[in-house]
Amino acid sequence: MHQNNSEIESILHGLIGKRMQAMQEGENTKEDLLGLMLESNMRTSDDNGQSISGMTIKEVVEECKLFYLAGTETTSILLTWTMIVLSMHPEWQDRAREEVISLFGKNKLNYEGVNRLKTVTLILYEVLRLYSPAVAFFRKTYKEMKIGGITYPAGVLIELPLLLMNHDPDIWGRDVHEFKPERFTNGISQASKNPGAFLPFSWGPRICIAQQFALLEAKIAFCTILQCFEFELAPSYTHAVNNTRLMRPMHGAQIKLRAI
Ligand code: HEM
């Protein structure tokens, strides 16, 4: 783990060094995340000439790691489970494809149309419930505090077991283990007995900063797949879950695609 971390950090220091040199030679920030963070690092005063301290290089490196790690596998895991589940429920695969074809045909997607997707959105929510990429969140008390009637001292690590919540019949009903996208028809808050129970992107100040982007990205990728392919599980697929940190299919996702 330490070795991997050092390798990642040394790659990032290399990228940062090159970009800083280019910026010092007059290249603009390109307005991407790295450019904006480095601009903050280089600024020592604000527009009024007041001294400010921007991000340190260590902070920039940490943010790059966070964005890369939080942003890559999560969405790909969501798409993978969506394809597995829709292979198991071909009737929902057909319904989703009908919606996509009725909105876009075989043409390129557009933002307005993506915002009108209903069936696809219900499906993604239900997949996020049954196979949420994040299985738990952790928070640490920084001072003595009372939560749910219990007083905790500072320094206690609290786990919010998302996986257990998503499979709790007291929250979702007796059909909790079934794939039923229609439970979200009247919105997220009506889908369960507890309006705040659906938390695939967490909640509060540390909620996933990219939740809207992630859903948009997933919809675009999923709709494009539906436009081009029908799919079903290969005989070698074995349904099992590996939920160490992120929830992945334990033995991979062997799926047969047929171009349409
Ligand atoms: C289906 C896709 C995704 C899921 C399910 C997901 C889920 C989450 C969750 C549960 C957290 C909060 C963890 C906690 O509370 O401890 C989180 C945080 C975060 N996510 Fe996502 N995420 C997804 C996609 C993305 C993407 C695409 C990006 C970046 C482009 C991203 C960037 C981040 C960042 C930077 C944080 C940390 C925010 C902070 O601490 O303030 N995520 N994500």
Side-chain angles (χ1 to χ4, degrees):
M1 195 73 158
H2 282 300
Q3 202 182 331
N4 289 346
N5 189 40
S6 310
E7 201 178 326
I8 292 170
E9 289 193 355
S10 99
I11 294 170
L12 285 170
H13 278 291
L15 290 171
I16 288 170
K18 275 192 198 148
R19 180 63 82 83
M20 283 185 94
Q21 194 180 340
M23 283 165 73
Q24 276 153 1
E25 287 165 5
E27 186 183 280
N28 68 20
T29 57
K30 296 185 184 160
E31 293 200 346
D32 61 15
L33 187 63
L34 181 58
L36 293 172
M37 289 193 294
L38 291 179
E39 199 178 57
S40 153
N41 170 264
M42 287 165 155
R43 280 180 72 187
T44 49
S45 59
D46 67 13
D47 296 340
N48 301 321
Q50 296 291 314
S51 163
I52 53 164
S53 51
M55 291 175 78
T56 64
I57 290 298
K58 187 171 169 15
E59 284 168 343
V60 174
V61 168
E62 290 305 317
E63 286 300 312
C64 289
K65 281 197 290 189
L66 175 62
F67 259 84
Y68 182 73
L69 297 173
T72 47
E73 271 210 75
T74 41
T75 316
S76 68
I77 290 175
L78 168 60
L79 283 169
T80 306
W81 281 120
T82 305
M83 290 191 70
I84 292 173
V85 171
L86 290 202
S87 298
M88 293 169 163
H89 297 273
E91 69 288 4
W92 279 100
Q93 185 183 145
D94 291 345
R95 283 178 66 174
R97 187 173 296 101
E98 273 161 29
E99 179 177 61
V100 173
I101 298 294
S102 76
L103 279 168
F104 309 107
K106 290 266 191 154
N107 305 318
K108 216 170 149 202
L109 310 183
N110 56 64
Y111 187 71
E112 201 184 282
V114 170
N115 279 332
R116 284 176 30 217
L117 290 163
K118 287 202 179 84
T119 307
V120 166
T121 307
L122 300 183
I123 290 170
L124 289 175
Y125 284 165
E126 183 67 337
V127 175
L128 279 170
R129 181 186 72 81
L130 282 170
Y131 301 98
S132 175
V135 290
F137 325 126
F138 299 88
R139 296 291 184 266
K140 201 173 187 178
T141 54
Y142 64 94
K143 58 173 188 180
E144 184 181 284
M145 54 181 73
K146 207 171 182 181
I147 308 169
I150 300 171
T151 304
Y152 297 89
V156 173
L157 195 63
I158 296 174
E159 176 177 353
L160 208 96
L162 188 57
L163 181 59
L164 299 186
M165 283 165 60
N166 286 347
H167 292 261
D168 185 343
D170 289 342
I171 297 175
W172 297 95
R174 276 192 303 179
D175 57 2
V176 65
H177 299 303
E178 288 170 40
F179 176 70
K180 289 179 93 176
E182 67 269 30
R183 72 175 87 237
F184 287 99
T185 305
N186 295 323
I188 287 171
S189 60
Q190 303 289 314
S192 69
K193 292 178 191 165
N194 180 333
F198 185 64
L199 301 170
F201 296 100
S202 184
W203 195 249
R206 309 314 297 235
I207 193 170
C208 178
I209 199 168
Q211 63 164 321
Q212 301 298 345
F213 169 78
L215 278 175
L216 183 66
E217 189 183 29
K219 283 180 187 174
I220 291 172
F222 180 45
C223 290
T224 310
I225 294 170
L226 286 166
Q227 281 178 316
C228 303
F229 301 103
E230 279 175 357
F231 44 90
E232 61 180 314
L233 292 173
S236 56
Y237 175 75
T238 310
H239 194 62
V241 165
N242 175 348
N243 60 17
T244 36
R245 285 196 67 81
L246 292 175
M247 180 159 23
R248 302 181 180 84
M250 173 125 37
H251 307 291
Q254 296 79 16
I255 291 172
K256 292 199 282 182
L257 301 176
R258 194 172 69 80
I260 49 173

